[in-house]
Amino acid sequence: MVSTVSKDEALKNASNIVALLSQGSDPLISEDVRVEALQAAHLVVRALEKPEDGLIKFAFSPVTWMAVRVCAQLNVFDIITKNETISIRAD
């Protein structure tokens, strides 16, 4: 995961997060503000994260391992290696 966000964009997004969370006097965050702040935070993380960190996060994700396990239990890898072509028929 190569960072495609510049330093200026990261600073702008970080400022945007603070501005979003500072608006209003209600102690609770509205759903719209939460979603906007989360999107801006994701851009800041992308700017700061090293490519190795993203790869490690993906490689050790439980979802990845669960998908591999399900494929192994369903013999998907055996099917793929035995058949050169896999066709899907529309019945």
Side-chain angles (χ1 to χ4, degrees):
M1 175 182 287
V2 177
S3 176
T4 58
V5 181
S6 71
K7 181 179 175 181
D8 291 337
E9 288 177 276
L11 286 170
K12 181 179 138 196
N13 285 313
S15 298
N16 188 26
I17 294 168
V18 173
L20 285 167
L21 296 176
S22 299
Q23 60 182 249
S25 59
D26 191 7
L28 300 176
I29 300 171
S30 72
E31 184 64 16
D32 292 337
V33 170
R34 186 191 71 77
V35 169
E36 285 183 57
L38 192 58
Q39 289 171 345
H42 180 68
L43 292 173
V44 172
V45 168
R46 274 189 32 213
L48 299 175
E49 188 175 58
K50 292 189 290 184
E52 302 88 37
D53 296 338
L55 290 172
I56 288 171
K57 203 172 9 176
F58 173 75
F60 292 106
S61 166
V63 174
T64 304
W65 293 110
M66 285 187 281
V68 170
R69 183 177 178 181
V70 168
C71 287
Q73 289 174 340
L74 295 174
N75 296 322
V76 171
F77 301 118
D78 292 335
I79 294 169
I80 291 172
T81 57
K82 287 180 185 174
N83 298 326
E84 288 184 23
T85 61
I86 298 175
S87 62
I88 300 173
R89 294 186 331 180
D91 292 329

